[in-house]
Amino acid sequence: MEYKRGVYLYTLPEGDMAPSVFDVPRSGREYPLGFHSTAPFNDVHFLVSQYVEEIWARAPQSGSGLLYATFVNNWIDANRGERDIDPALLFEPWPEPLDPTDKSNRLGMGLIHSKARGHALYPDKLSVAEVKHRIEHYWRPYHTRLAELIEERRQKFGIAFHLSCHCMGTIGPVTAHDHGLRRKDFCLSDRDGTTSSREFMEAIAEAMRKRGYSVTFNDPFKGAESIRLHGKPEAGVHSVQIEVIKELFMDEESFQKKPDFDKVQEDLAGVAADIAAYARSQAR
């Protein structure tokens, strides 16, 4: 294993490396000493994609690498863009142009989260220096390492396959277009065909369906920064975001693992093995 304290944990592939790498950017549970929030902890922690690094923990057994961001996403969100910052969160103007998205403006869930289930995360605004520190010491080192891992595979095999792994609420929340509806087991996203080939999406879906899971494409999520930043199918890098409903493996309010946790982990080990086999079949 490779560990960068407070930033990431990388589990090397076992045996022959496949041209595939998994990343888990929003499941970290390490709260930096500088993190101070006035919001209730259960609301702060609710947005952590808990246990995702565990349900995919066996991916390296079939030859894929697994990169896991260990810092909590409420500190800085590795699945948001560097310029996705709400200016209202800052004491002073940002020195360069910002590009806040709807996630920042409406939900307070941009690069730096400002809200947690309706509660303000911070009693005061943040300084530019504080936000830059988080970018330079957490967000950037994580994505730099992910880019290196992807490029290592592209150079060796002529192609690379990147899976960004997340979990989602089982029922669409009030802020979503699928409010009140039960979601399918998995959502596969490629930003409407811009970060991956359709063939790769179908290969992942087939691996899930044959194990009894339901799958949607780009609904309710299109895919965010991790695949936008790294997915370049025209250059041989195919990136797909994978969302799994929490109901399959954890209680959404108590954060406790469900009795079927081990079965889900075993099933996803099989899915990861099928992905690695597909990736090898596409190598030059």
Side-chain angles (χ1 to χ4, degrees):
M1 285 192 177
E2 173 191 332
Y3 177 59
K4 185 174 178 63
R5 185 175 180 182
V7 180
Y8 63 73
L9 180 67
Y10 175 56
T11 305
L12 284 76
E14 298 178 20
D16 294 333
M17 183 173 74
S20 45
V21 60
F22 289 71
D23 99 278
V24 183
R26 303 189 75 237
S27 297
R29 296 185 288 283
E30 293 183 13
Y31 285 83
L33 290 176
F35 184 91
H36 301 290
S37 176
T38 53
F41 178 75
N42 269 24
D43 293 322
V44 173
H45 205 64
F46 182 80
L47 293 176
V48 175
S49 297
Q50 195 147 302
Y51 306 127
V52 174
E53 84 285 3
E54 292 188 43
I55 60 175
W56 290 102
R58 297 185 191 176
Q61 293 177 358
S62 52
S64 298
L66 176 63
L67 184 69
Y68 162 52
T70 57
F71 52 88
V72 68
N73 62 46
N74 278 318
W75 176 249
I76 187 165
D77 195 333
N79 203 35
R80 298 288 182 260
E82 242 185 299
R83 296 190 300 148
D84 186 5
I85 301 171
D86 181 0
L89 188 62
L90 304 172
F91 270 125
E92 64 254 300
W94 194 258
E96 297 95 26
L98 292 175
D99 187 20
T101 63
D102 179 62
K103 292 284 188 181
S104 283
N105 295 330
R106 184 169 60 91
L107 302 177
M109 290 175 55
L111 180 70
I112 306 294
H113 294 186
S114 62
K115 298 176 185 175
R117 299 179 90 182
H119 297 281
L121 270 177
Y122 303 105
D124 299 306
K125 295 187 177 186
L126 303 177
S127 69
V128 166
E130 167 62 28
V131 175
K132 281 185 173 289
H133 171 82
R134 298 186 194 187
I135 293 171
E136 292 165 6
H137 293 276
Y138 295 86
W139 189 96
R140 198 167 289 148
Y142 180 80
H143 280 289
T144 296
R145 188 66 183 114
L146 179 55
E148 291 170 350
L149 294 170
I150 292 170
E151 181 60 15
E152 177 184 0
R153 285 151 178 79
R154 195 184 70 83
Q155 289 288 340
K156 181 174 182 178
F157 298 101
I159 199 165
F161 297 91
H162 162 225
L163 298 308
S164 188
C165 302
H166 307 258
C167 65
M168 57 183 170
T170 304
I171 306 298
V174 294
T175 55
H177 73 274
D178 60 348
H179 167 51
L181 300 178
R182 188 190 188 281
R183 292 165 169 171
K184 301 298 186 183
D185 298 327
F186 288 90
C187 170
L188 304 181
S189 308
D190 62 358
R191 296 179 67 88
D192 291 327
T194 62
T195 66
S196 172
S197 70
R198 182 69 176 203
E199 182 180 282
F200 184 41
M201 291 272 280
E202 293 286 357
I204 302 168
E206 175 56 26
M208 292 170 170
R209 288 175 182 140
K210 76 180 186 182
R211 291 171 173 86
Y213 295 107
S214 57
V215 184
T216 58
F217 289 168
N218 292 300
D219 183 30
F221 299 105
K222 302 287 188 182
E225 182 66 9
S226 198
I227 64 170
R228 188 207 68 80
L229 185 61
H230 300 286
K232 299 175 177 62
E234 70 283 355
V237 178
H238 300 268
S239 291
V240 172
Q241 179 172 299
I242 300 177
E243 296 269 2
V244 55
I245 55 171
K246 295 177 182 179
E247 182 183 86
L248 291 181
F249 61 92
M250 67 176 281
D251 184 287
E252 298 185 45
E253 291 299 326
S254 71
F255 310 127
Q256 298 299 306
K257 294 178 181 177
K258 285 196 167 180
D260 284 345
F261 188 93
D262 290 346
K263 179 186 182 300
V264 173
Q265 187 184 62
E266 182 178 350
D267 285 346
L268 294 188
V271 170
D274 287 355
I275 289 171
Y278 173 85
R280 288 189 177 98
S281 75
Q282 302 301 301
R284 65 187 174 200

